[in-house]
């Protein structure tokens, strides 16, 4: 870095009309400068300039999720693009030394929603949303707010320096300074990266707040053996695999789990990889946004956020996206999630944080999680007292000094994979099962993108597969397919007022009336059961992200379940009308149905939790098509 560059950064900070971005990643630092334009949609991000492909940095707000047809409060936060004129590599030590370091005190700090109010929101979401089948997990945020006496841009550079000095393990540490929009943060999570035709996603879930005195093997073991934390991670991996199956020709392969060790917090993470040739803007659109900061299924998660969050999200849970020209005439994409980020405006600081709510959630525990996440940011920037133990940790310590490399911890992490489907742990190339080659399948999506994973597995079995939304599929397409897969979805299968439920009832009935091959999954399995006169009842406790070994017509199968309602028959029932029933010997809960030309399953055979998923799917498809 030249000696003039620190002065240049000071000049940029002093000019209220200038725009620049500082990024620390991969052990180095970068300065991006250029003009700013705001655009309406991801497709409008101007990747092509007068001289050909150009580099663009974009701040993508949460409200862009409306591009996928999902709901969001619209606060007008811009999709802001920096058209990069200059991209300079910096020496990180010289950069740090050049940045302001005087502490900036906060005044009047606190959450916009009290602890008691947030705990009440948690209770409502568990009871009214998860408890009524609206989804498996949801992230509800609250904002820490404070004011300070300093120039916004100087504050951003000061806190950027503090993050570089006092936070470790971040994927990106960054400061984005544009007129009217200033943000500084240290995101642990790469949402989506696309380079050389390979797409990578990095779901991180579970938050271990280091205790006083620092993390130990014993305290970390307690965290890693938590049912809530384990299932939370599995659920977000399932949700991101839905996205991977949408954008990648080979669906996506899982590696991990690993520990993401930061100065004050530790998380668990997996890596998902697949191949794609889509435009990076399309990849970004189809992966809006990470379930780790929204929930699952994604469409309903957005609706739940809209019902329970009092104010719009702004950039929280969106992404910072850097589009860089590559040697093939296109662009690579690097897009971390906008979390662990402070937003600065006119002497005010806002730090949004959220907790992932699942069926096991304890309201007080989720309150404490938001405090921990806010403290992680505020402590790193020096706005509150820093943890001296965290300060003493040496970022350059040898790998053997990290808990993730402790043999007992590594073995505990690796043991998680014994619960997961081998199918998603290895490359998936369509093998073209002889029985299904040349047959067509239409998957009807009832607002749960598990259908993308189902479609990928069906393709793996040799079928030619199309997906159609429940409200866009014509009757002719339903009639024409060799196999119709009536898909899963959220909600109460008994809700006669729901247009979605009514349409899925029509899809199931149309195929049954014609005697045409049908496979019904989860919600549609319940609808099929109802058409056979089988009772539908709510479970005593939701099966959201639960793995069960269940009987499926004479064979035991390990299957993942995401249901709040169940079809139930008297214990011992094996037949209902023209359908054979496979049910629980104790509860009478119906796990599968089959008859001439049809089959159904309550669980999600496509889930990572379904160790016997692909084999069971092949059996049921074979029966329906026989």
């Amino acid at each position: 870095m030249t000696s003039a560059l620190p002065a240049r950064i000071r000049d940029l900070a002093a000019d209220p009309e200038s725009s620049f971005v500082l990024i620390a990643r991969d052990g180095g630092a970068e300065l991006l400068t250029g003009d700013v334009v705001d655009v309406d949609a991801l497709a409008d991000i101007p990747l092509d300039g007068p001289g050909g492909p150009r580099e663009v940095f974009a701040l993508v707000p949460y409200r862009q999720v409306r591009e996928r047809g999902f709901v969001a409060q619209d606060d007008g936060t811009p999709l802001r693009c920096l058209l990069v004129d200059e991209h300079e590599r910096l020496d990180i030590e010289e950069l740090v030394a050049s940045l302001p370091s005087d502490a900036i005190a906060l005044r009047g700090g606190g959450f916009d929603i009290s602890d008691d109010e947030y705990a009440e929101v948690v209770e409502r979401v568990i009871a009214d949303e998860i408890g009524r089948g609206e989804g498996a997990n949801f992230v509800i945020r609250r904002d820490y707010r404070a004011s300070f006496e300093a120039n916004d841009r100087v504050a951003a550079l000061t806190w950027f320096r503090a993050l570089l000095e006092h936070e470790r393990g971040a994927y990106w540490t960054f400061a984005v300074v544009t007129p009217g929009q200033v943000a500084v943060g240290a995101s642990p999570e790469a949402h989506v990266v696309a380079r050389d035709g390979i797409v990578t996603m990095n779901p991180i879930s579970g938050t271990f707040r280091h205790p006083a005195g620092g993390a130990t093997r014993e305290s970390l073991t307690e965290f890693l053996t938590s049912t809530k934390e384990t299932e939370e991670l599995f659920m977000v991996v399932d949700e991101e695999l839905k996205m991977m199956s949408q954008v990648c020709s080979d669906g996506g392969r899982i590696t991990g789990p690993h520990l993401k060790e930061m100065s004050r917090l530790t998380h668990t993470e997996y890596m998902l990889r697949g191949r794609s040739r889509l435009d990076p803007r399309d990849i970004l659109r189809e992966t809006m946004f990470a379930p780790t900061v929204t929930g699952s299924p994604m469409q309903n998660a957005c609706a739940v956020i809209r019902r329970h969050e009092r104010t719009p999200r702004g950039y929280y849970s969106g992404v910072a996206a850097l589009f860089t020209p590559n040697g093939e005439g296109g662009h690579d994409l690097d897009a971390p999630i906008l979390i662990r980020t402070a937003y600065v405006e006119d002497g005010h600081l806002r730090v949004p944080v959220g907790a992932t709510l699942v069926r096991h959630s304890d309201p007080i525990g989720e309150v404490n999680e938001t405090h921990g996440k806010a403290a992680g940011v505020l402590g790193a920037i020096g706005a509150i007292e820093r943890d001296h133990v965290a300060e003493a940790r040496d970022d350059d310590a040898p790998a053997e000094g990290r808990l993730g490399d402790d043999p007992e911890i590594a073995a505990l992490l690796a043991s998680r994979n014994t619960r997961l489907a081998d199918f998603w742990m290895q490359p998936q190339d369509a093998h073209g099962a002889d029985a299904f080659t040349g047959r067509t399948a239409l998957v009807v999506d009832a607002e749960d993108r598990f259908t993308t994973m189902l479609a990928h597995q069906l393709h793996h079995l040799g079928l030619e597969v199309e997906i159609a939304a429940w409200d866009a599929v014509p009757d002719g397409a339903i009639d024409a397919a060799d196999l119709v897969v009536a898909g899963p979805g959220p909600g109460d299968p008994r809700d006669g007022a729901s247009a979605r439920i009514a349409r899925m009832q029509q899809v199931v009935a149309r195929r049954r009336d014609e005697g045409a091959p049908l496979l019904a999954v989860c919600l549609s399995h319940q609808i099929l059961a109802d058409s056979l006169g089988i009772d539908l009842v709510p479970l005593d406790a939701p099966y959201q992200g639960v793995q069960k070994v269940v009987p499926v017509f004479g064979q035991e199968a390990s299957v993942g379940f995401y249901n709040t309602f169940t079809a139930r028959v008297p214990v011992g029932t094996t037949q209902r009308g023209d359908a054979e029933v496979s049910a629980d010997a104790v509860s009478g809960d119906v796990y599968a149905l089959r008859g001439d030309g049809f089959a159904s399953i309550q669980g999600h055979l496509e889930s990572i939790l379904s160790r016997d998923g692909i084999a069971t799917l092949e059996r049921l498809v074979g029966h329906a098509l026989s």
Side-chain angles (χ1 to χ4, degrees):
M1 183 175 74
T2 66
S3 59
L5 201 48
R8 183 175 174 212
I9 293 175
R10 288 195 295 271
D11 291 342
L12 288 167
D15 179 1
E17 298 304 315
S18 71
S19 298
F20 64 96
V21 177
L22 285 164
I23 302 171
R25 57 176 178 164
D26 300 328
E30 301 160 59
L31 171 66
L32 284 62
T33 56
D35 294 329
V36 160
V37 297
D38 295 339
V39 298
D40 292 330
L42 292 173
D44 300 328
I45 295 175
L47 299 185
D48 293 318
R54 66 180 167 198
E55 189 167 40
V56 178
F57 172 90
L59 279 179
V60 183
Y62 172 74
R63 73 186 186 100
Q64 294 303 132
V65 80
R66 296 176 306 153
E67 291 192 43
R68 294 186 64 186
F70 303 163
V71 298
Q73 296 186 62
D74 186 1
D75 56 353
T77 300
L79 199 177
R80 176 147 294 182
C81 300
L82 178 79
L83 310 182
V84 180
D85 291 331
E86 293 187 66
H87 185 156
E88 301 177 65
R89 308 285 174 177
L90 314 179
D91 180 276
I92 198 163
E93 292 184 0
E94 290 185 32
L95 172 64
V96 168
S98 74
L99 296 173
S101 59
D102 291 343
I104 297 175
L106 298 183
R107 301 193 313 265
F111 282 102
D112 59 342
I113 300 173
S114 72
D115 287 355
D116 288 344
E117 290 175 305
Y118 189 78
E120 291 173 1
V121 171
V122 173
E123 290 175 344
R124 286 200 303 273
V125 170
I126 294 170
D128 297 344
E129 307 293 0
I130 297 174
R132 295 181 183 176
E134 296 303 314
N137 57 88
F138 302 108
V139 179
I140 304 299
R141 89 176 207 291
R142 62 201 297 223
D143 294 348
Y144 183 93
R145 295 177 180 269
S147 59
F148 59 89
E149 290 186 0
N151 176 274
D152 287 353
R153 291 172 170 236
V154 172
L157 293 179
T158 301
W159 290 332
F160 179 65
R161 173 176 179 157
L163 288 171
L164 291 176
E165 291 181 321
H166 301 290
E167 183 57 280
R168 68 184 181 94
Y171 179 68
W172 270 28
T173 303
F174 58 89
V176 181
V177 181
T178 68
Q181 300 290 341
V182 177
V184 57
S187 176
E189 188 167 353
H191 175 50
V192 62
V193 176
R195 293 192 183 106
D196 301 322
I198 302 296
V199 174
T200 304
M201 298 186 75
N202 175 210
I204 295 176
S205 193
T207 299
F208 172 57
R209 186 177 182 181
H210 298 172
T216 64
R217 176 193 295 168
E218 291 72 23
S219 59
L220 186 56
T221 296
E222 182 179 357
F223 163 72
L224 292 175
T225 54
S226 163
T227 299
K228 186 258 186 187
E229 300 294 350
T230 302
E231 292 186 354
E232 183 180 310
L233 180 60
F234 288 161
M235 284 189 277
V236 298
V237 172
D238 258 340
E239 194 68 19
E240 293 207 1
L241 271 175
K242 298 175 188 180
M243 297 175 178
M244 291 290 287
S245 295
Q246 181 73 20
V247 301
C248 296
S249 59
D250 57 346
R253 179 188 182 185
I254 304 171
T255 58
H258 311 287
L259 286 185
K260 170 68 74 171
E261 296 183 69
M262 303 188 74
S263 298
R264 295 155 186 81
L265 304 170
T266 292
H267 309 280
T268 46
E269 64 178 355
Y270 276 93
M271 299 298 293
L272 315 180
R273 290 184 176 86
R275 295 188 294 269
S276 179
R277 290 295 178 184
L278 291 179
D279 183 295
R281 292 167 294 193
D282 294 332
I283 292 173
L284 195 55
R285 181 184 305 103
E286 293 302 325
T287 59
M288 290 194 298
F289 282 111
T292 52
V293 283
T294 52
S296 64
M298 183 67 201
Q299 185 164 349
N300 248 32
C302 293
V304 169
I305 289 167
R306 180 68 180 85
R307 287 196 286 270
H308 293 277
E309 290 189 356
R310 299 180 183 178
T311 57
R313 288 193 161 198
Y315 289 112
Y316 171 73
S317 73
V319 297
L322 182 60
F323 299 87
T324 303
N326 56 34
E328 299 180 359
H331 288 76
D332 293 335
L333 169 67
D334 191 4
I337 301 175
L338 288 170
I339 53 175
R340 313 297 159 81
T341 300
Y343 299 92
V344 180
E345 183 175 6
D346 297 332
H348 291 86
L349 171 80
R350 182 174 69 95
V351 179
V353 293
T356 299
L357 313 183
V358 299
R359 60 192 178 92
H360 292 300
S361 286
D362 167 59
I364 300 305
E366 302 300 356
V367 167
N368 291 337
E369 181 168 325
T370 61
H371 278 278
K373 288 177 176 176
V377 176
L378 298 170
I381 67 176
I384 62 174
E385 185 176 358
R386 293 190 177 104
D387 180 347
H388 295 298
V389 173
E391 290 298 291
R393 294 291 296 272
D394 182 359
D395 285 349
D396 296 322
E400 59 266 26
R402 300 184 186 275
L403 282 171
D405 293 318
D406 180 285
E408 291 187 21
I409 295 297
L412 186 58
L413 278 170
S415 70
R416 290 185 172 190
N417 288 347
T418 62
R419 296 181 56 188
L420 303 186
D422 287 341
F423 179 85
W424 297 107
M425 305 295 290
Q426 57 194 352
Q428 304 110 40
D429 297 314
H431 65 64
D434 292 341
F436 306 142
T437 299
R439 310 295 289 274
T440 62
L442 173 69
V443 181
V444 182
D445 187 335
E447 296 186 2
D448 187 338
R449 287 295 184 92
F450 261 129
T451 50
T452 62
M453 294 169 68
L454 260 175
H456 175 65
Q457 288 194 328
L458 292 166
H459 176 67
H460 178 83
L461 294 175
L463 290 111
E464 298 176 12
V465 188
E466 291 187 8
I467 301 175
W470 67 270
D471 56 350
V473 58
D475 288 344
I478 294 170
D479 295 339
D482 292 331
L483 173 71
V484 165
V485 180
D492 187 339
R494 306 166 301 179
D495 183 5
S498 165
R500 179 169 51 85
I501 300 295
R503 181 53 174 160
M504 296 309 294
Q505 289 171 337
Q506 292 170 4
V507 170
V508 169
R510 191 175 186 90
R511 294 294 287 192
R512 290 273 285 121
D513 289 346
E514 295 297 323
L518 169 72
L519 174 64
V521 178
C522 197
L523 175 71
S524 295
H525 157 85
Q526 296 162 6
I527 288 172
L528 173 63
D530 182 58
S531 73
L532 294 166
I534 297 174
D535 291 338
L536 302 179
V537 297
L539 292 163
D540 293 336
Y543 289 157
Q544 296 292 349
V546 173
Q547 186 180 58
K548 293 169 64 70
V549 176
V550 300
V552 181
F553 306 118
Q555 293 187 24
E556 297 289 294
S558 177
V559 177
F561 286 79
Y562 286 85
N563 62 302
T564 299
F565 296 88
T566 186
R568 185 171 290 165
V569 295
V571 173
T573 300
T574 59
Q575 195 77 26
R576 179 59 63 94
D578 63 345
E580 184 181 355
V581 178
S582 188
D584 190 274
V586 176
S587 66
D589 290 353
V590 179
Y591 297 129
L593 297 163
R594 70 180 180 186
D596 288 343
F598 69 89
S600 71
I601 188 76
Q602 174 61 75
H604 285 264
L605 302 178
E606 68 281 7
S607 166
I608 63 168
L609 291 169
S610 293
R611 287 184 295 157
D612 300 313
I614 190 69
T616 306
L617 179 64
E618 188 166 6
R619 286 176 58 211
L620 295 180
V621 169
H623 175 85
L625 286 171
S626 64

